[in-house]
């Protein structure tokens, strides 16, 4: 939060900002596909319309009771992706609800354990992802997840974040993914859109918005709505549209690996003069860091940019000044464990 606050203040007062780009090189945003098996479970097979053979594996979310009733279906889809659990952990009307309550920690642990055990036996896979049935969660949920080795929480809660968040409980990271776009409950059920062209336009509007924000598009589809045979072709269209817009189509596991990897490298910067900025890159982890892009915004137009270091033998990464002459990108192919690079960016001001 401190880095976000400092960058925001500096941007407002036209001071430089610096940060690591959220997504791998060549991508401006990301998408995960979240198929949810509820009513009309057989419709899940229509998801094949939208997925290529080399597509990142999806995580199918299934109610454990439905899984016991449809073991053949769950075993079949588990060959094409991972299995997540839809679990009732209580009901809240809204975050401000003071009448209803989520279940106690003891009850949540019991229900999460039952879901993981049931789905694991049917699918033959370890369950690592949770979707609260009614959207909301609390700290008891996170504590229960860490105790039972769940790693992902996919929730319909609305926040001001369009990117994932990592929370640590009992020294275990839990990735929280909140709602970032309209799903088929809104598009098909609430809006009543039965024309596939209108459905596609609505999803693509959200793709464009998430791209503008540089966030994560959570493409959540249900067997009783978008996965109906007459609507399922829209899924392929939306995925292809996102891919054409330089969205990274990824899985929960790949997303987790990248996000933790990205958070491991630290960026510090300091204005030394009107024509010099010092940037320090640090990899404090015991692992190498690969393929990161560091973005430094001058918040003014500059020219004649050069990059050097005041420390001998420092490797200068490749860099490029953006076409607007206000931003420089550093392309960091690799950083060794515990490596630090100190860079000096010198430039002339265009408007001086």
């Amino acid at each position: 939060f401190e880095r976000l606050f400092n960058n925001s203040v500096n941007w407002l007062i036209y001071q430089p900002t610096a940060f690591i780009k959220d997504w791998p090189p060549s991508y401006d945003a990301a998408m995960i596909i979240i198929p949810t098996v509820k009513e009309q479970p057989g419709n899940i097979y229509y998801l094949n319309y939208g997925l290529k053979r080399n597509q990142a594996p999806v995580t199918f979310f299934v109610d454990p009771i439905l899984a016991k009733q449809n073991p053949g279906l769950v075993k079949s889809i588990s060959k094409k992706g991972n299995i997540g659990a839809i679990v009732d952990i209580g009901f809240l009307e809204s975050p401000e609800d003071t009448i209803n309550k989520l279940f106690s920690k003891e009850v949540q642990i019991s229900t999460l354990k039952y879901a993981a055990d049931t789905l694991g036996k049917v699918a033959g896979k370890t369950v690592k992802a949770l979707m609260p049935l009614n959207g909301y969660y609390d700290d008891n949920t996170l504590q229960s997840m860490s105790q039972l080795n769940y790693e992902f929480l996919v929730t319909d809660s609305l926040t001001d974040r369009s990117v994932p968040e990592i929370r640590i409980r009992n020294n275990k990271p839990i990735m929280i993914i909140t709602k970032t776009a309209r799903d088929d409950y809104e598009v098909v059920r609430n809006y009543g859109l039965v024309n596939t062209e209108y459905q596609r336009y609505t999803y693509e509007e959200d793709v464009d918005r998430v791209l503008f924000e540089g966030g994560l598009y959570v493409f959540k589809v249900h067997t009783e709505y978008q996965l109906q045979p007459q609507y399922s072709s829209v899924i392929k269209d939306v995925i292809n549209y996102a891919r054409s817009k330089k969205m990274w189509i990824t899985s929960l596991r790949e997303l987790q690996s990248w996000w933790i990897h990205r958070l491991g490298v630290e960026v510090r910067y300091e204005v030394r003069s009107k024509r010099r900025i010092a940037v320090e890159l640090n990899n404090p982890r015991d692992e190498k860091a690969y393929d990161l892009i560091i973005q430094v915004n001058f918040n003014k137009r500059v020219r004649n940019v050069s990059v050097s270091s005041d420390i001998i033998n420092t490797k200068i990464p490749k860099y490029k000044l953006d076409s607007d002459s206000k931003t420089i990108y550093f392309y960091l192919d690799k950083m060794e464990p515990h490596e630090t690079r100190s860079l000096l960016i010198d430039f002339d001001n265009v408007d001086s």
Side-chain angles (χ1 to χ4, degrees):
F1 175 79
E2 181 181 359
R3 183 182 64 182
L4 174 63
F5 177 79
N6 290 335
N7 272 337
S8 299
V9 170
N10 285 339
W11 181 81
L12 287 170
I13 62 176
Y14 298 99
Q15 290 295 306
T17 60
F19 54 88
I20 297 175
K21 197 169 176 286
D22 283 334
W23 308 113
S26 77
Y27 296 110
D28 296 326
M31 171 188 278
I32 55 171
I33 304 157
I34 303 294
T36 306
V37 184
K38 287 189 174 181
E39 301 171 31
Q40 304 175 43
N43 286 343
I44 192 63
Y45 294 116
Y46 290 106
L47 186 66
N48 289 334
Y49 273 109
L51 300 182
K52 293 184 176 181
R53 290 184 178 179
N54 59 352
Q55 177 68 57
V58 300
T59 296
F60 298 89
F61 283 86
V62 187
D63 182 290
I65 296 176
L66 185 145
K68 291 180 71 175
Q69 297 169 343
N70 299 270
L73 181 146
V74 174
K75 288 178 182 177
S76 176
I77 63 176
S78 70
K79 297 175 182 178
K80 300 177 182 179
N82 295 314
I83 301 295
I86 302 173
V87 181
D88 185 359
I89 58 172
F91 174 78
L92 290 176
E93 188 72 38
S94 70
E96 293 76 29
D97 189 346
T98 58
I99 299 175
N100 302 294
K101 291 184 179 180
L102 298 182
F103 298 150
S104 67
K105 181 179 178 180
E106 291 72 22
V107 173
Q108 291 197 42
I109 288 176
S110 176
T111 54
L112 264 64
K113 186 176 188 306
Y114 170 79
D117 290 346
T118 302
L119 288 168
K121 289 177 182 177
V122 174
K125 285 189 172 182
T126 303
V127 174
K128 294 291 185 180
L130 168 68
M131 179 185 292
L133 176 63
N134 298 305
Y136 294 103
Y137 67 95
D138 59 12
D139 196 63
N140 286 333
T141 312
L142 301 180
Q143 295 287 351
S144 303
M145 290 177 66
S146 68
Q147 184 170 326
L148 296 169
N149 296 315
Y150 282 81
E151 298 178 17
F152 305 95
L153 175 63
V154 180
T155 169
D156 282 339
S157 297
L158 291 171
T159 68
D160 57 355
R161 296 179 62 87
S162 61
V163 294
E165 180 182 7
I166 299 290
R167 298 271 189 92
I168 305 297
R169 293 294 183 273
N170 301 318
N171 295 318
K172 297 176 182 177
I174 297 173
M175 172 169 275
I176 300 174
I177 297 171
T178 56
K179 187 173 183 178
T180 61
R182 292 169 289 186
D183 64 15
D184 52 356
Y185 275 0
E186 292 157 292
V187 174
V188 181
R189 183 186 67 183
N190 296 349
Y191 298 170
L193 296 181
V194 295
N195 185 303
T196 54
E197 288 295 304
Y198 294 156
Q199 292 175 1
R200 180 169 59 84
Y201 293 153
T202 306
Y203 291 125
E204 288 176 357
E205 283 180 351
D206 282 351
V207 169
D208 291 337
R209 176 183 54 78
V210 173
L211 274 164
F212 178 77
E213 297 172 358
L216 173 68
Y217 185 101
V218 181
F219 192 21
K220 188 176 177 184
V221 292
H222 299 80
T223 47
E224 68 270 35
Y225 288 104
Q226 202 62 57
L227 281 164
Q228 292 184 65
Q230 68 270 31
Y231 301 145
S232 60
S233 63
V234 173
I235 298 171
K236 177 180 67 176
D237 293 337
V238 174
I239 292 172
N240 288 339
Y241 181 78
R243 186 179 285 113
S244 72
K245 294 285 186 173
K246 297 173 65 176
M247 259 192 177
W248 179 34
I249 315 298
T250 188
S251 66
L252 286 178
R253 182 63 67 193
E254 288 176 339
L255 179 65
Q256 177 196 53
S257 177
W258 165 260
W259 205 253
I260 292 176
H261 169 79
R262 172 192 166 276
L263 293 176
V265 174
E266 300 170 348
V267 180
R268 299 183 181 89
Y269 60 97
E270 178 187 358
V271 178
R272 295 281 178 86
S273 71
K274 292 182 178 180
R275 299 198 305 163
R276 170 173 282 189
I277 299 172
V279 177
E280 182 180 273
L281 312 176
N282 179 43
N283 178 19
R285 301 191 305 163
D286 296 329
E287 304 170 8
K288 295 179 181 180
Y290 295 96
D291 297 329
L292 297 173
I293 300 177
I294 290 82
Q295 181 173 334
V296 180
N297 301 313
F298 297 102
N299 275 324
K300 58 184 177 181
R301 294 182 63 210
V302 301
R303 61 188 176 193
N304 300 328
V305 174
S306 65
V307 180
S308 61
S309 178
D310 51 7
I311 298 178
I312 298 174
N313 296 326
T314 295
K315 184 178 179 181
I316 307 298
K318 295 179 180 179
Y319 61 90
K320 181 183 73 173
L321 185 66
D322 200 20
S323 57
D324 65 2
S325 299
K326 295 181 179 180
T327 304
I328 187 172
Y329 295 98
F330 290 98
Y331 300 92
L332 205 62
D333 56 349
K334 183 175 69 173
M335 283 192 77
E336 298 294 335
H338 306 287
E339 179 186 357
T340 298
R341 296 193 202 182
S342 296
L343 306 175
L344 297 174
I345 308 173
D346 293 293
F347 51 87
D348 294 329
N349 298 298
V350 172
D351 300 324
S352 61

